[in-house]
Amino acid sequence: GTAAIIFIIAFGYITIKARQLSKEEAIKIVDSNAKYYAKELERKLGEDLVIARTLAKAFLEYKNFEGEEWKEMFVNMYKNIILDNKHITAFWNSWELYALDSTWEKDYGRFSITVKQQNGETLHQFSKRSLDGDSKRYKVYKEAVRELINDPYIENVGFMEKDLMTT
């Protein structure tokens, strides 16, 4: 009788301690993994932001090109970035028309360049948007006048139909 009670108490104690230790160990593992993947995500996002910031500086050079040469130069830059960064499948950007065309007198309207990797081929397209006014989403970005990263959203841009993108 007494030995059985001591055995049950000891077994119960060992079981509770083992469970407590494995729970603590599991929490440590989860915490460690969360920290690792947060750092990894931060690193990868940082690399992509370097690309975005570099392109933003490069955009300033469009004025130094004759006529339409700058458009092809940007298409080629985007193609090279897509080919060198497999996680980037497309680029889309837009330019205010009044900045490109001195005859455009409205504060809305954009010229856009879309470059997309599709079935092993890199495609591009030029188009105009917002000719009747800025969308609510774009107006927020435009008025912010600072770097922003927004939640992903689905958008139809050029030949990219219902693609998930961010701005």
Side-chain angles (χ1 to χ4, degrees), residues 2-147:
T2 307
I5 292 173
I6 292 173
F7 177 76
I8 291 171
I9 291 172
F11 183 74
Y13 176 79
I14 291 169
T15 302
I16 290 169
K17 266 307 204 193
R19 177 182 257 174
Q20 185 180 25
L21 289 174
S22 52
K23 183 178 178 183
E24 289 172 7
E25 190 62 29
I27 289 170
K28 285 179 185 176
I29 290 170
V30 168
D31 187 48
S32 174
N33 283 341
K35 286 177 182 174
Y36 170 79
Y37 286 108
K39 285 286 187 195
E40 188 66 13
L41 183 61
E42 180 180 34
R43 183 186 65 76
K44 288 180 178 184
L45 182 58
E47 290 173 359
D48 290 345
L49 284 174
V50 167
I51 292 170
R53 287 178 177 137
T54 301
L55 287 172
K57 295 293 182 190
F59 291 155
L60 301 174
E61 293 299 313
Y62 83 93
K63 293 179 181 178
N64 295 326
F65 287 86
E66 296 291 325
E68 304 290 302
E69 289 177 342
W70 67 273
K71 293 177 184 177
E72 289 302 323
M73 187 215 32
F74 281 104
V75 167
N76 290 332
M77 282 192 328
Y78 296 159
K79 284 181 180 180
N80 287 328
I81 291 169
I82 289 170
L83 292 173
D84 290 345
N85 299 276
K86 299 299 181 201
H87 67 286
I88 298 175
T89 58
F91 264 104
W92 174 81
N93 76 327
S94 65
W95 304 64
E96 296 290 332
L97 280 175
Y98 66 80
L100 301 175
D101 180 354
S102 60
T103 64
W104 187 263
E105 297 178 354
K106 300 171 182 156
D107 68 344
Y108 54 83
R110 297 180 278 160
F111 169 78
S112 69
I113 301 173
T114 307
V115 179
K116 182 176 184 176
Q117 185 74 10
Q118 185 172 314
N119 300 325
E121 190 177 354
T122 308
L123 310 171
H124 75 275
Q125 182 181 56
F126 302 126
S127 61
K128 291 184 178 175
R129 326 176 28 102
S130 305
L131 299 178
D132 297 323
D134 291 330
S135 68
K136 288 180 185 178
R137 179 183 290 127
Y138 182 71
K139 195 172 185 174
V140 169
Y141 305 150
K142 187 174 168 179
E143 291 173 354
V145 193
R146 61 183 168 83
E147 282 186 351

